[in-house]
Amino acid sequence: SFGTYTVPFTRVLYIDSSDFREVDSADYYRLAPNKSVGLQGVSRAITCTKVVRNADGSIAELVCRYEADSAHAKPKTFIQWVADCPKLGSPVRLDEVRVYNPLFKHDNPKDSSEVPGGWLSDVAPDSLVVVKGAVAEVGLWDWIKSYAATEAGRKELDKHNVENIRFQFKRIGYFALDKDTVLTAADIENAQFGSAKLIMNRILSKTGGYIASVRKMATSRQLAKIAFFSGSMVATGNVIAQSLTLWSERAFPVADIDSTVVDHKVPASSYDPLQTLRFFAYGVAFSPVSYRWHAFLNARFPLGNIVAGSSKQIAAPPSKMPLSHSTRAVLKRLVVDQTLFAPIATFSFVGGMGVMEGLGPVELAERFRIQYLAVLMAGYALWPAAQLINFSIVPLAYRVPFSSVVGLMWHTYLSWTSARIKAKGPPSEIEQADALGPVVPATN
């Protein structure tokens, strides 16, 4: 659960420069001259009454009025702030903040059609932005102290392994202490923060991270390649499934027994290329959905000890965590994936294949009655273990291909098992699951 910490509220506050604009507009809801705005965690608003400038014309400070009257109109938005209170150690001054952005301007800097000058010419000038003199809330020290109070945290600090100390700066992104940080467990225990040198690295952007990158990749060649690969793997699985089925029919011919004809052989099946094409189309169409799902899980359950929630909340101290944050994040991804996305993916597979086959409403309902649970349960026999590996060590860009490769092996196994069962007796759950062809992974 989330904890709390106390921050001072004084007459002098620091705000982000992007939260003030001298020229107001109807669609701007933050601070401007003669305009009110709320402060996060504070019950009253402030109104800017004066702009004080430096000799060069830049803004030095803003003079604001605290609206103590409860009748004052409720502000439309609330901004972040940090109080100036040296007595209580506020603000925490960061010696250096390193903001990492994409290294290249294009997705594929080696593509001569997009980057005719070569990949070195495509290096983004703002791939690393170093900010000096940034400030943060005193709650940052509360979290560091809670981390250092644990046995594991103290050992890490004694080894100068500070990269595991991570934070969320609410609107900017997720940060981790850099190895160049000067910080010891003894300094923290003795509250000698003045000797510390804090250097932060941004490890994930809130505005330009997974959501932005996924939207960008939706029109990129990389996502098209992933879709083609996924479709190819699903189609290959269908080819193998049909081939094994044909082989099993020849190796284990089945008698068609009724009241008048005995020992009459069932006509041999033939390879159906349209079925393979349907599987390929499904794999191509569903891979962007799977990719976005993996990106959502990454953003919703990030790995590492991250301070989540608002700027006035911190994660529970590591001493109260029965498992590491990374392990818990992976398990959460797995549970959410298998309980939410797997049933939806199975529904889309059974329904999509039925629609492409031209089934009517009654036939489609019967297909769901026979196939849905069998396909879902067969998938649960393998996919939780496969996705545990996928979520733990496979990079985001390769998770859909990884699922497709595992799916190929799973399709082959299902087909071989089904071929053996057909020679022995009535259809089992596995055979029913295979009647449509190979089972597509829940998150392929």
Side-chain angles (χ1 to χ4, degrees):
S1 63
F2 290 115
T4 61
Y5 60 86
T6 302
V7 296
F9 182 69
T10 60
R11 295 185 60 186
V12 179
L13 307 175
Y14 295 98
I15 66 170
D16 195 290
S17 59
S18 62
D19 287 334
F20 175 78
R21 181 188 295 180
E22 290 192 80
V23 180
D24 196 9
S25 62
D27 59 347
Y28 182 72
Y29 301 110
R30 301 185 185 277
L31 196 60
N34 301 313
K35 186 175 183 177
S36 298
V37 72
L39 300 174
Q40 287 190 355
V42 179
S43 59
R44 299 287 184 265
I46 60 171
T47 302
C48 180
T49 59
K50 183 180 178 181
V51 179
V52 180
R53 299 183 180 277
N54 295 312
D56 60 359
S58 61
I59 298 176
E61 62 182 53
L62 305 174
V63 179
C64 299
R65 179 178 64 248
Y66 180 71
E67 305 294 352
D69 186 0
S70 59
H72 187 79
K74 183 179 179 180
K76 294 184 177 181
T77 192
F78 295 81
I79 64 175
Q80 293 174 283
W81 54 274
V82 178
D84 182 49
C85 184
K87 181 180 178 180
L88 297 179
S90 181
V92 177
R93 300 192 179 274
L94 307 178
D95 294 83
E96 192 173 293
V97 177
R98 300 168 182 172
V99 180
Y100 291 92
N101 296 304
L103 181 59
F104 297 103
K105 302 174 185 176
H106 297 83
D107 290 339
N108 186 7
K110 291 186 177 181
D111 188 342
S112 58
S113 63
E114 294 184 356
V115 189
W119 65 273
L120 283 175
S121 66
D122 199 51
V123 175
D126 62 345
S127 59
L128 173 59
V129 178
V130 179
V131 179
K132 302 281 189 179
V135 296
E137 294 177 344
V138 293
L140 183 145
W141 281 125
D142 290 345
W143 168 251
I144 292 179
K145 285 189 289 186
S146 66
Y147 178 78
T150 65
E151 182 179 355
R154 187 176 183 88
K155 288 181 179 179
E156 290 294 301
L157 286 171
D158 289 340
K159 297 176 184 178
H160 197 63
N161 295 333
V162 296
E163 292 92 337
N164 287 331
I165 302 179
R166 304 180 180 188
F167 309 90
Q168 176 189 339
F169 294 157
K170 188 174 181 182
R171 285 167 48 194
I172 304 174
Y174 299 98
F175 289 76
L177 286 179
D178 186 82
K179 63 181 181 179
D180 294 335
T181 294
V182 178
L183 182 66
T184 66
D187 290 339
I188 297 173
E189 184 177 348
N190 299 325
Q192 295 177 352
F193 302 137
S195 61
K197 180 182 179 182
L198 299 180
I199 299 177
M200 295 280 184
N201 293 328
R202 187 171 74 176
I203 55 179
L204 177 63
S205 169
K206 289 277 286 185
T207 57
Y210 283 111
I211 295 177
S213 64
V214 169
R215 289 174 179 170
K216 186 176 182 181
M217 286 192 67
T219 58
S220 70
R221 294 182 181 180
Q222 184 177 0
L223 188 55
K225 291 178 180 178
I226 292 175
F228 181 80
F229 180 82
S230 178
S232 299
M233 288 293 100
V234 174
T236 302
N238 178 257
V239 171
I240 296 175
Q242 290 199 58
S243 300
L244 286 175
T245 300
L246 294 175
W247 174 83
S248 67
E249 289 179 354
R250 295 189 183 97
F252 309 102
V254 180
D256 181 12
I257 302 175
D258 58 27
S259 59
T260 59
V261 181
V262 180
D263 216 19
H264 174 70
K265 303 297 182 182
V266 177
S269 303
S270 61
Y271 175 76
D272 184 3
L274 291 180
Q275 185 183 99
T276 301
L277 184 61
R278 289 193 293 268
F279 274 83
F280 176 79
Y282 176 82
V284 170
F286 197 73
S287 65
V289 179
S290 295
Y291 186 91
R292 283 166 173 78
W293 173 250
H294 284 299
F296 164 75
L297 292 178
N298 263 29
R300 182 63 183 84
F301 306 111
L303 304 183
N305 295 321
I306 302 222
V307 178
S310 82
S311 60
K312 299 298 183 293
Q313 293 177 321
I314 62 172
S319 59
K320 297 182 180 180
M321 296 182 181
L323 296 172
S324 72
H325 184 92
S326 296
T327 302
R328 292 194 304 165
V330 169
L331 293 178
K332 287 178 181 178
R333 291 180 187 181
L334 182 63
V335 171
V336 173
D337 178 73
Q338 294 300 305
T339 57
L340 295 183
F341 194 66
I344 295 173
T346 303
F347 182 90
S348 69
F349 167 69
V350 176
M353 296 302 295
V355 170
M356 285 190 286
E357 290 175 21
L359 299 183
V362 176
E363 296 169 310
L364 195 59
E366 181 65 11
R367 173 70 63 83
F368 271 105
R369 186 188 70 80
I370 297 174
Q371 295 293 328
Y372 181 77
L373 267 182
V375 172
L376 185 62
M377 292 300 104
Y380 281 147
L382 171 69
W383 286 105
Q387 294 294 55
L388 186 63
I389 298 173
N390 207 7
F391 294 143
S392 301
I393 61 177
V394 179
L396 174 62
Y398 299 101
R399 286 184 189 159
V400 174
F402 174 85
S403 296
S404 300
V405 171
V406 175
L408 176 60
M409 295 183 290
W410 178 237
H411 302 160
T412 304
Y413 168 76
L414 275 181
S415 300
W416 175 254
T417 306
S418 180
R420 297 185 65 181
I421 293 176
K422 286 179 181 178
K424 295 181 179 180
S428 66
E429 288 187 0
I430 294 181
E431 184 178 8
Q432 291 178 3
D434 196 45
L436 282 179
V439 176
V440 174
T443 54
N444 69 326

